[in-house]
Amino acid sequence: MLTTLKSYFGYNSFRPQQEEIITHLLSKKDALVLMPTGGGKSICFQIPALMQDGTAIVVSPLISLMKDQVENLQANGIAAAALNSNNTDSENLSIRYDCRMGHIKLLYISPEKLILESNALLKDMKKSLFAIDEAHCISQWGHDFRPEYTQLGQIRDLFPNIPIVALTATADKTTREDIIKQLNLNNPKIFISSFDRPNLSLDVKKDYNEKEKISTIIHFIDDHPRDSGIIYCMTRKTTEKVAMKLKKEGIIAGVYHAGLSALERNKIQEDFINDRIAIICATVAFGMGIDKSNVRWVIHYNLPKSIENFYQEIGRAGRDGLPSDTLLFYSLQDIITLTQFANETGQQSLNIDKLRLMQNYAESQVCRRRILLNYFGENSTCQCGNCDVCKKPPQIFDGTIIVQKALSAIMRTNEKIGVGCTIDILRGTYSSDVVQYQYDKLKTFGVGRDIPGRDWHNYMLQMLQMGFYEINYMEDKHIKITPLGKQVLYGEAKVNLVVIQREESILRKDKKKAIKVSTIITREEDDVLFEKLRELRKRLADEQGYPAYIVLSDKVLHLIATIKPKTIEAFGAISGIAEFKKQKYGASFVALILEHESK
Ligand code: ADP
Ligand code: ZN
């Protein structure tokens, strides 16, 4: 197993669980594998595929995902192919022939195609195993349900002697059980790896307005020059707006959402993968097909609707294990909009619960990583040191009077106002509603003038979070005070609020520089050499029509710039460089290093 790992993938050791999973599959038994994005799921079925006769059949939901995996394998000299509707007839013909002849080690296939072929090609070829990638797509409880996956339940009956491994990065307990049931897995062993992604920094910014978000993003991008990143937005319109605002500042960002044609979407995605565009403003439609290992950051312009979504989306950063940054913006308006969406769905209470947990994460006053890990069932009491709460613990103060002012204003309107109007009353603003309903006559009119409007928004959010009021969505989003809120209003309970911290964007600059230096690698890396290596990699990639990271990952490139191998052997000894790549690229890279060193 180790020899196969080293010679085909260039790695010296297995990650936790990989070895056990491979051994299990080699003994022809079913398995369910839960591993975070970037955890190394693929190796778990690729090594058994390489070690056995016949072909491993890999089911994957998206053509782009297959393409990336097949390119990656081929770039390591492994016989892999994808059977899908994107191929020409003659391509498919020759793949079929190769499969029958047993020349292909891994065949990637879409679920529809697999069902179509189950009584044809699949019967005529020797199979080593079935791997169902992104297996949560089979479950309605997951967040990427795909009807075409449900038919995969037939495989177990059709091919009783071939082991099936289902793999996913996101599955809570319900989804997990559903996957096993729907795939008819035969007494599967369940492998759960730690979901921790310590290389991803976590940061939440609460209640920033649009202008503040944009300026924060601009500074963030300044600190990540040339790095690839994704900005997730809630709506199509927002993706376009954010891209436009960035453009005004001279930052080019592509836009991706379901409203674009397939052709346009494909082009943007390819441009991103091939480093022609560094930044994408996208809706959640973007990313499923992206296996790009060197995405260095992910920003959420709005709150995602669940922790699963959030974790999967930030998980697209740093798949190569290098430090990567994530930033989440979160506002009261997001909560209101998402609650409305959730109320309109079929599974209302489930979706509301998921949203509340997401909100708890954003509001957390304990280590954010701890919340994420607990969500995925890993009881943790960590202080990760790599999230904003750990770096800058929140401070609290007695906010009883502030809360009483707000609740009292609401009470005096007979609970007939929303958040915006509440703040207008508190601040003494003559808005149209205030004037129309004569709220300026209320005793509470203007009692909160000393607090800026944006801070009121923040406090209102905290109050919602603490359960002092609810928003009635059936009644024009009017605020209803809860029994808990009434206790505070009538002086029966005290309230602690969190001090609002708004760091100035300018301050962020130097702070960030310091963090940048602390890459995992301890030996000094040669920055000038790294740029030269990057250029060489890009040239080699363009020559072959591959994305750069398929030639060599960022991680490997950093290692080369640090170790500076001067022989082909030394080049091949670097972690991540397999035999095939050593032969193929060794000479070019070593020549470049020798030339660089002689200067
Ligand atoms: P997943 O499918 O779980 O998201 P991948 O299979 O794409 O993750 O693996 C993520 C990255 O980790 C890839 O670059 C892969 O080559 C690398 N990787 C996998 N296994 C190992 C290992 N044993 N040692 C070093 N790197 C590994
Ligand atoms: Zn932390």
Side-chain angles (χ1 to χ4, degrees):
M1 270 156 58
L2 256 181
T3 322
T4 312
L5 180 72
K6 179 70 197 162
S7 68
Y8 283 102
F9 299 97
Y11 300 130
N12 295 315
S13 59
F14 284 105
R15 292 207 182 136
Q17 304 258 20
Q18 286 179 330
E19 211 165 354
E20 291 87 333
I21 297 166
I22 295 167
T23 312
H24 184 81
L25 290 177
L26 288 173
S27 69
K28 299 272 169 200
K29 289 187 225 142
D30 288 356
L32 172 64
V33 172
L34 280 96
M35 243 186 222
T37 315
K41 284 186 283 301
S42 319
I43 298 263
C44 298
F45 58 82
Q46 287 166 347
I47 300 242
L50 290 166
M51 290 175 68
Q52 297 182 93
D53 280 346
T55 307
I57 314 290
V58 186
V59 181
S60 180
L62 289 178
I63 291 177
S64 54
L65 213 65
M66 295 186 204
K67 182 168 174 244
D68 194 90
Q69 292 240 342
V70 169
E71 276 179 354
N72 242 319
L73 290 165
Q74 289 173 345
N76 277 326
I78 297 168
L83 207 53
N84 58 47
S85 50
N86 253 18
N87 298 352
T88 62
D89 285 349
S90 73
E91 273 170 336
N92 277 342
L93 209 65
S94 96
I95 293 174
R96 281 204 169 74
Y97 176 79
D98 286 342
C99 285
R100 289 202 179 88
M101 298 301 289
H103 292 160
I104 302 273
K105 293 313 307 175
L106 290 122
L107 178 70
Y108 285 74
I109 192 165
S110 60
E112 310 83 283
K113 242 323 176 276
L114 179 100
I115 299 304
L116 279 177
E117 296 287 358
S118 57
N119 269 311
L121 175 66
L122 288 187
K123 287 259 180 228
D124 304 343
M125 61 188 281
K126 195 171 158 77
K127 297 159 292 295
S128 53
L129 61 91
F130 286 100
I132 317 292
D133 210 359
E134 311 286 351
H136 60 279
C137 291
I138 203 171
S139 171
Q140 305 218 31
W141 308 114
H143 55 88
D144 276 324
F145 176 58
R146 287 175 176 255
E148 53 299 359
Y149 257 63
T150 47
Q151 297 199 47
L152 295 174
Q154 303 170 21
I155 306 178
R156 183 67 302 154
D157 284 344
L158 288 170
F159 307 102
N161 300 320
I162 315 285
I164 300 178
V165 54
L167 308 106
T168 174
T170 52
D172 50 25
K173 213 157 168 271
T174 338
T175 316
R176 210 183 293 167
E177 282 161 8
D178 206 22
I179 293 174
I180 295 175
K181 196 174 103 209
Q182 298 223 39
L183 282 175
N184 293 315
L185 296 187
N186 182 9
N187 192 17
K189 183 155 182 187
I190 303 176
F191 296 89
I192 303 178
S193 301
S194 170
F195 269 68
D196 197 7
R197 301 280 310 277
N199 62 317
L200 300 184
S201 75
L202 304 168
D203 195 358
V204 178
K205 303 269 180 239
K206 214 159 76 171
D207 232 38
Y208 277 31
N209 63 28
E210 192 180 294
K211 214 169 134 201
E212 291 164 329
K213 285 191 198 178
I214 296 290
S215 95
T216 306
I217 293 175
I218 289 164
H219 283 287
F220 185 100
I221 293 172
D222 276 353
D223 288 339
H224 294 81
R226 271 172 311 188
D227 285 346
S228 291
I230 308 171
I231 303 173
Y232 280 107
C233 309
M234 199 187 302
T235 63
R236 298 174 185 182
K237 230 171 79 192
T238 317
T239 60
E240 279 162 9
K241 192 174 67 190
V242 173
M244 206 186 65
K245 300 239 171 201
L246 293 179
K247 197 171 167 199
K248 277 195 190 138
E249 302 292 326
I251 298 169
I252 304 296
V255 168
Y256 187 104
H257 55 66
L260 302 173
S261 71
L263 207 69
E264 288 169 302
R265 274 183 313 200
N266 214 7
K267 177 171 182 315
I268 290 286
Q269 183 165 323
E270 288 294 308
D271 283 349
F272 183 64
I273 290 174
N274 291 296
D275 292 335
R276 289 189 289 268
I277 283 189
I279 300 164
I280 302 279
C281 299
T283 59
V284 292
F286 183 72
M288 225 319 213
I290 307 282
D291 245 348
K292 185 174 167 66
S293 71
N294 63 339
V295 176
R296 287 273 72 85
W297 54 266
V298 169
I299 293 177
H300 281 87
Y301 195 82
N302 303 103
L303 191 76
K305 63 180 199 274
S306 73
I307 289 190
E308 278 117 319
N309 281 279
F310 174 66
Y311 208 53
Q312 190 170 53
E313 281 149 21
I314 61 170
R316 299 199 169 112
R319 295 181 68 140
D320 52 13
L322 292 182
S324 303
D325 293 318
T326 79
L327 172 60
L328 166 70
F329 290 109
Y330 153 65
S331 72
L332 188 52
Q333 189 51 51
D334 289 346
I335 300 283
I336 293 176
T337 313
L338 287 169
T339 307
Q340 222 159 4
F341 285 165
N343 280 336
E344 286 158 11
T345 58
Q347 298 164 328
Q348 184 186 354
S349 69
L350 178 79
N351 289 329
I352 292 281
D353 286 350
K354 289 194 171 190
L355 176 58
R356 290 294 162 258
L357 290 168
M358 183 67 232
Q359 198 181 339
N360 284 343
Y361 167 83
E363 283 287 341
S364 171
Q365 292 176 45
V366 299
C367 173
R368 295 197 202 275
R369 203 168 308 274
R370 182 162 149 189
I371 302 207
L372 293 175
L373 293 178
N374 282 326
Y375 183 84
F376 291 108
E378 287 174 51
N379 289 328
S380 141
T381 51
C382 76
Q383 296 278 331
C384 76
N386 198 17
C387 76
D388 56 329
V389 178
C390 283
K391 284 178 198 159
K392 206 170 174 187
Q395 285 161 348
I396 51 172
F397 68 101
D398 183 347
T400 312
I401 293 183
I402 292 180
V403 174
Q404 282 172 338
K405 282 181 181 171
L407 293 178
S408 153
I410 296 159
M411 200 59 136
R412 282 168 202 273
T413 68
N414 292 321
E415 302 178 299
K416 288 266 181 284
I417 53 173
V419 172
C421 190
T422 305
I423 295 173
D424 286 341
I425 295 174
L426 289 163
R427 299 260 314 134
T429 309
Y430 289 92
S431 63
S432 57
D433 273 0
V434 167
V435 175
Q436 184 182 346
Y437 298 103
Q438 304 198 341
Y439 292 146
D440 51 334
K441 304 282 185 309
L442 296 180
K443 241 180 103 180
T444 34
F445 187 71
V447 292
R449 248 190 218 107
D450 53 325
I451 296 174
R454 42 183 312 208
D455 288 3
W456 269 119
H457 265 279
N458 188 308
Y459 293 140
M460 290 296 289
L461 187 61
Q462 294 191 39
M463 286 162 58
L464 177 68
Q465 180 70 12
M466 285 188 278
F468 297 149
Y469 69 85
E470 285 165 1
I471 295 176
N472 185 343
Y473 287 88
M474 314 304 260
E475 195 199 291
D476 213 13
K477 296 180 214 153
H478 287 164
I479 293 178
K480 304 292 164 188
I481 301 173
T482 60
L484 197 66
K486 287 189 179 140
Q487 283 183 17
V488 180
L489 182 58
Y490 302 131
E492 292 155 20
K494 285 206 165 300
V495 181
N496 283 328
L497 289 175
V498 175
V499 177
I500 300 171
Q501 298 180 345
R502 281 200 194 88
E503 41 197 316
E504 292 311 315
S505 308
I506 317 298
L507 281 179
R508 298 186 70 254
K509 280 224 114 163
D510 358 63
K511 203 179 80 191
K512 214 41 203 289
K513 290 264 152 57
I515 300 169
K516 259 265 145 109
V517 192
S518 62
T519 32
I520 295 171
I521 300 145
T522 43
R523 245 195 288 177
E524 191 76 18
E525 177 179 327
D526 186 330
D527 292 344
V528 182
L529 177 59
F530 182 80
E531 285 312 316
K532 290 187 187 171
L533 295 170
R534 204 206 293 250
E535 277 166 31
L536 174 60
R537 176 178 71 169
K538 177 93 176 106
R539 211 180 67 227
L540 293 168
D542 288 347
E543 278 167 19
Q544 303 173 82
Y546 279 149
Y549 66 88
I550 297 255
V551 172
L552 292 174
S553 71
D554 277 14
K555 189 169 187 168
V556 169
L557 218 60
H558 282 297
L559 283 171
I560 300 175
T562 308
I563 297 169
K564 303 183 192 172
K566 298 191 185 58
T567 63
I568 294 183
E569 274 320 303
F571 179 80
I574 287 175
S575 171
I577 297 179
E579 192 53 34
F580 191 75
K581 288 188 180 174
K582 176 178 113 183
Q583 302 297 346
K584 191 163 174 181
Y585 304 123
S588 320
F589 279 94
V590 167
L592 176 69
I593 293 162
L594 290 174
E595 188 223 64
H596 172 79
E597 291 288 277
S598 69
K599 280 187 182 151

